[in-house]
Amino acid sequence: MDEVEERDWPADAVEERLDKAVAKLFGVSRGRAMDWIAEGRVRVGGRRAPKGAPVFPGARISVQRPPPDQPEPQPELPIRIVHADAHVVVADKPAGMPSHPLKPGEQGTAANALVGRFPELARVGPSPREGGLVHRLDTDTSGLLLAARTDAAHAMLRAQFAARTVDKGYLALVAGEIHAGGEIALPLAHDPRDARRMMAISDPAYAEEHSARNAVTRFDPVERRGGFTLLAVEIPTGVMHQIRAHLAFIGHPLAGDALYGGPELPGLSRHFLHASRLAFAHPDGSRAKFESGLPPELVAVLGDLPA
């Protein structure tokens, strides 16, 4: 039976949205809080309420917590371990593999693969389903993923991501020719016309109204081929679909990214985005840096473009 927890919004606190109040009171992400509200697990004063409902000082909030769902170990899944030590695991995720399960019992994810090889990962971090991962990649994005093997390492690494001190580098092939580097600093929010997409917002008032998240994407051209440009991309922030949405906003969507209007290319069955570099302060006090070259299928696509 699901566990029910009750907590009071402090009497000296200001009025807050329900989803934000649940996240703060119960120590979960805002996304998890919204999931609980949508599933009918949250009550305010004994009654259900929408995620944007106001919570007033002194209000009692109850949550029917779902049972913890740990990723089922699947050691046979194809994921390359780049590095492993007593504190962290760095893996190279193939395209087509989700980072972690989004619902109980889901298999075939990077978290399943990592827990299959390092069982202690299932017990690390606030969410068992994440298998110790401290960040995520889109399903069709390949490249470097970082997981923590202890709660102390997880907390330290998550703090670095929050402080934007983790160096995250990508390689992206985009439509059109780009001759100079640049920076895109626009907040991102869910597109009201298509829930699958994110959109960059240039209007500050609209961004605030729609709870847009700040995002910064920096890019430099590496080479130009056949009307496309291979970019080296850095993102100090980490918002859903950030690189894809930002580059599409400036008129240079990723090759193969149909969701954001990217053109098709022969031999390319997914968007051309690879997490190629990851550097961070290691829990042992050193500076750790890892790199991953383009996977063979992306090398082939790039090589088929005319110089």
Side-chain angles (χ1 to χ4, degrees), residues 284-306:
D284 67 8
S286 65
R287 182 69 181 174
K289 181 178 180 180
F290 302 95
E291 295 186 353
S292 168
L294 285 174
E297 69 271 17
L298 297 188
V299 172
V301 168
L302 190 61
D304 285 342
L305 293 173

Side-chain angles (χ1 to χ4, degrees), residues 2-263:
D2 294 351
E3 178 184 359
V4 176
E5 294 184 29
E6 292 187 335
R7 298 182 186 177
D8 294 332
W9 190 240
D12 58 352
V14 298
E15 176 187 326
E16 184 60 279
R17 285 173 54 104
L18 178 57
D19 52 357
K20 291 185 178 181
V22 170
K24 292 174 183 177
L25 281 178
F26 295 88
V28 297
S29 69
R30 189 174 171 192
R32 178 61 55 84
M34 289 191 285
D35 287 344
W36 286 351
I37 294 167
E39 293 167 2
R41 295 181 175 277
V42 177
R43 300 286 190 277
V44 182
R47 296 183 178 182
R48 293 182 61 171
K51 63 183 179 182
V55 175
F56 299 102
R60 171 152 292 190
I61 300 176
S62 63
V63 167
Q64 187 180 33
R65 281 187 182 266
D69 50 297
Q70 298 182 355
E72 180 180 336
Q74 291 182 274
E76 74 283 356
L77 288 175
I79 192 167
R80 183 172 72 91
I81 304 302
V82 176
H83 172 84
D85 58 42
H87 305 279
V88 303
V89 176
V90 181
D92 204 337
K93 183 184 83 67
M97 176 183 285
S99 290
H100 63 71
L102 295 178
K103 56 186 178 182
E106 183 179 353
Q107 299 185 23
T109 74
N112 293 116
L114 291 173
V115 169
R117 303 187 192 188
F118 306 94
E120 71 278 5
L121 293 178
R123 301 185 293 274
V124 174
S127 176
R129 73 171 59 176
E130 294 179 5
L133 292 175
V134 294
H135 68 129
R136 286 174 282 183
L137 296 175
D138 289 347
T139 297
D140 281 340
T141 300
S142 54
L144 298 174
L145 266 180
L146 177 61
R149 299 184 74 173
T150 68
D151 282 328
H154 189 279
M156 177 189 177
L157 294 169
R158 285 298 304 158
Q160 292 181 59
F161 276 91
R164 303 181 181 180
T165 58
V166 177
D167 179 13
K168 297 174 288 181
Y170 295 76
L171 291 171
L173 185 70
V174 300
E177 293 193 353
I178 298 178
H179 293 268
E183 178 179 285
I184 309 164
L186 289 172
L188 294 167
H190 286 280
D191 188 335
R193 298 161 299 183
D194 188 341
R196 301 171 303 160
R197 291 169 45 101
M198 301 293 285
M199 65 178 187
I201 301 172
S202 56
D203 180 352
Y206 187 93
E208 182 176 1
E209 179 183 353
H210 290 80
S211 302
R213 295 180 60 191
N214 291 330
V216 176
T217 301
R218 303 184 182 107
F219 59 89
D220 282 294
V222 177
E223 62 176 306
R224 290 175 292 278
R225 284 175 168 263
F228 291 82
T229 304
L230 182 66
L231 297 176
V233 181
E234 294 183 355
I235 54 168
T237 53
V239 180
M240 176 181 170
H241 293 186
Q242 175 178 327
I243 295 173
R244 300 166 64 188
H246 268 170
L247 291 174
F249 179 82
I250 64 170
H252 296 284
L254 296 179
D257 193 354
L259 184 62
Y260 287 92

Side-chain angles (χ1 to χ4, degrees), residues 261-274:
E264 296 182 359
L265 277 176
L268 184 62
S269 59
R270 49 101 163 191
H271 59 242
F272 196 122
L273 184 61
H274 180 70

